Amino acid sequence: MPHEGVAGASQGSPTTPAAGAPSASQGSAAPSDPGVPGAVQGSSGAPHPGWGSAQPEVPGGPGVLHGTPGLSGPYYAPPGSPVAVPRNRGRGKVVAGVTALVLAVGGVAGGVGGYLGYQAADGSGPVTNALSVGPPAQQTANAPDGSIEQVAQRVLPTVVQVQLNGGAGSGFVISSDGLVVTNNHVVESAANGGAIKVLFQDGRSANAKIVGRDPSSDVAVVKADGVSGLTTAELGNSGDLRIGQQVVAVGSPFDLNGTVTSGIVSSLNRPVRAGGGGGSQATVLNAIQTDAAINPGNSGGPLVNMKGQVVGINSAIYSPNTTQSSQGGSVGIGFAIPIDQARRTAKELSETGKATQTVLGVQVTDNREGGAEVREVTPGGPAEQAGLKAGDVITKFGDRAIDSSDAVVAAVRSRAPGEKVRLTLTGGRTAEVTLGSQPVEIR
């Protein structure tokens, strides 16, 4: 915000000279002595009356207003020169009479105009001042169905802040006795006994411990101690999402508890590594992309549809401004784990403390001509049983086109163990595979 300056003359701009003692402003030449041709150099705009103003020239004393193109010649007198009015014998009285008439008419018109203006102002009625009007009645109606306001009212009581030494994230309640779903990367630093605290929207807080976590899907479950009767989130169906559908993200970005942002589903089935670009292929997510603002601290919080149902877990953002010493903020590209995938993992973690993951039984790499090239086949695994061999290139997984190795990993993660999927390989070959499972190893 600019500071208010002290009023004063601007350099290079003409100032009004004192009566009888004209003076030059900075950037303009000083006036010549009366009667001597002179100039105002470097001036712009209309000259001040009596200071280089346009007037009929005194015969024999031409003047020029230098620095103003086209304003030279016999009609501009030097500053301070008197104006000579030639006498017209025989018509002086007529001219004087006309002048007097004009002045008289002008005086009458000015008087009438001033009187009418005063009458109009006087008859305009009382003045209305907004500050004198009382505030409107307090809003008491319920929020409209399907509005962001209604979604926020419904979801906020189920969202918590997960606090750890040196950081914080978000989560949401899935059981009235204190089970909370969050991201693995939110609680990973406390995996060896570090302190965890859960802060609820009503201001209460409770100590918590990790029930189970899965680094490969970036899902974790913690249990708040000594609580009951909590409001639980309603889980939706991420398989019903459509691009362009409106969604709401809730969490604690930058330690701002209970923050609500809104946007749309920007894309679906986006392969994203949970650890960012440096994450391993084992952490690839089949993510929902959204432009709802997601920032550091939103991780683990819910992404909900306009019914207030959780359809994803906010997990990652694309942030080109991130450095080793600082983390950038939202640029409108955020990613959430689909709830259909996270639900399976959260259920296993809450019941057994461990998770299993869906597997195809291959190691893959990017193929230069597109697709995922099979580098190694796990002996006895689903892929080998379906007839896949090293060197095969997968181009479709069911109806989903595969353009990279991360894409096939994300596609596998989107399915449950035991599902049958048709793979399309280069050369038009196809293979029917039944997906398997394996326990998640936590290192």
Side-chain angles (χ1 to χ4, degrees):
M1 179 180 296
H3 295 288
E4 294 183 359
V6 180
S10 302
Q11 292 184 339
S13 302
T15 55
T16 306
S23 61
S25 61
Q26 290 179 317
S28 301
S32 305
D33 292 338
V36 180
V40 180
Q41 294 177 325
S43 301
S44 60
H48 191 282
W51 183 246
S53 56
Q55 297 176 350
E57 186 213 3
V58 178
V64 178
L65 190 64
H66 292 296
T68 309
L71 300 182
S72 63
Y75 298 101
Y76 294 87
S81 297
V83 179
V85 179
R87 297 180 60 84
N88 192 335
R89 297 179 181 274
R91 299 184 62 186
K93 294 182 180 180
V94 176
V95 172
V98 171
T99 302
L101 178 61
V102 170
L103 291 176
V105 172
V108 172
V112 172
Y115 176 76
L116 292 177
Y118 171 79
Q119 287 293 98
D122 186 60
S124 61
V127 175
T128 301
N129 190 323
L131 298 177
S132 302
V133 180
Q138 186 174 3
Q139 179 179 333
T140 57
N142 294 329
D145 291 341
S147 65
I148 296 172
E149 180 185 358
Q150 185 193 53
V151 170
Q153 291 174 358
R154 183 173 183 179
V155 176
L156 273 170
T158 73
V159 181
V160 302
Q161 184 181 53
V162 182
Q163 300 176 336
L164 301 92
N165 291 331
S170 305
F172 56 94
V173 178
I174 59 169
S175 74
S176 59
D177 62 346
L179 285 176
V180 171
V181 171
T182 185
N183 282 143
N184 171 71
H185 76 260
V186 170
V187 299
E188 190 172 20
S189 64
N192 295 322
I196 303 175
K197 181 174 286 188
V198 172
L199 179 64
F200 299 95
Q201 292 298 318
D202 60 5
R204 292 183 296 163
S205 64
N207 294 326
K209 60 180 179 295
I210 298 175
V211 176
R213 62 190 185 91
D214 177 9
S216 66
S217 65
D218 200 22
V219 175
V221 175
V222 301
K223 175 71 165 59
D225 297 331
V227 295
S228 62
L230 300 177
T231 303
T232 60
E234 180 183 355
L235 306 185
N237 184 353
S238 56
D240 289 340
L241 289 176
R242 298 292 181 267
I243 295 174
Q245 183 175 337
Q246 193 169 17
V247 288
V248 172
V250 187
S252 302
F254 299 109
D255 208 28
L256 299 172
N257 190 24
T259 296
V260 177
T261 57
S262 67
I264 62 169
V265 175
S266 303
S267 185
L268 296 168
N269 302 321
R270 185 75 78 186
V272 176
R273 300 193 179 196
S280 71
Q281 197 171 67
T283 65
V284 171
L285 309 175
N286 186 53
I288 302 164
Q289 181 181 329
T290 179
D291 68 350
I294 297 174
N295 286 288
N298 270 115
S299 290
L303 184 72
V304 301
N305 61 21
M306 300 313 290
K307 295 180 180 179
Q309 300 168 333
V310 179
V311 292
I313 304 174
N314 301 318
S315 180
I317 61 173
Y318 170 72
S319 184
N321 299 321
T322 298
T323 65
Q324 290 184 347
S325 60
S326 65
Q327 188 170 1
S330 172
V331 293
I333 303 177
F335 303 101
I337 306 165
I339 198 62
D340 292 354
Q341 175 185 334
R343 182 200 294 259
R344 295 193 310 269
T345 303
K347 184 174 179 61
E348 290 180 337
L349 292 174
S350 61
E351 293 177 351
T352 70
K354 298 181 180 180
T356 59
Q357 59 185 186
T358 307
V359 296
L360 177 59
V362 294
Q363 292 185 10
V364 291
T365 187
D366 292 343
N367 183 269
R368 285 183 293 182
E369 296 180 1
E373 183 175 340
V374 177
R375 188 174 61 188
E376 185 179 331
V377 179
T378 304
E384 185 183 64
Q385 294 177 13
L388 270 69
K389 296 180 174 58
D392 286 339
V393 178
I394 304 171
T395 58
K396 290 186 73 175
F397 186 93
D399 294 331
R400 177 174 175 172
I402 300 299
D403 59 1
S404 67
S405 57
D406 279 6
V408 76
V409 174
V412 171
R413 293 281 169 81
S414 70
R415 302 298 185 99
E419 286 191 39
K420 295 183 182 297
V421 180
R422 179 180 295 274
L423 304 180
T424 302
L425 312 175
T426 53
R429 293 171 49 219
T430 62
E432 192 83 17
V433 61
T434 300
L435 299 174
S437 67
Q438 68 181 21
V440 174
E441 295 183 8
I442 301 178
R443 296 181 175 84

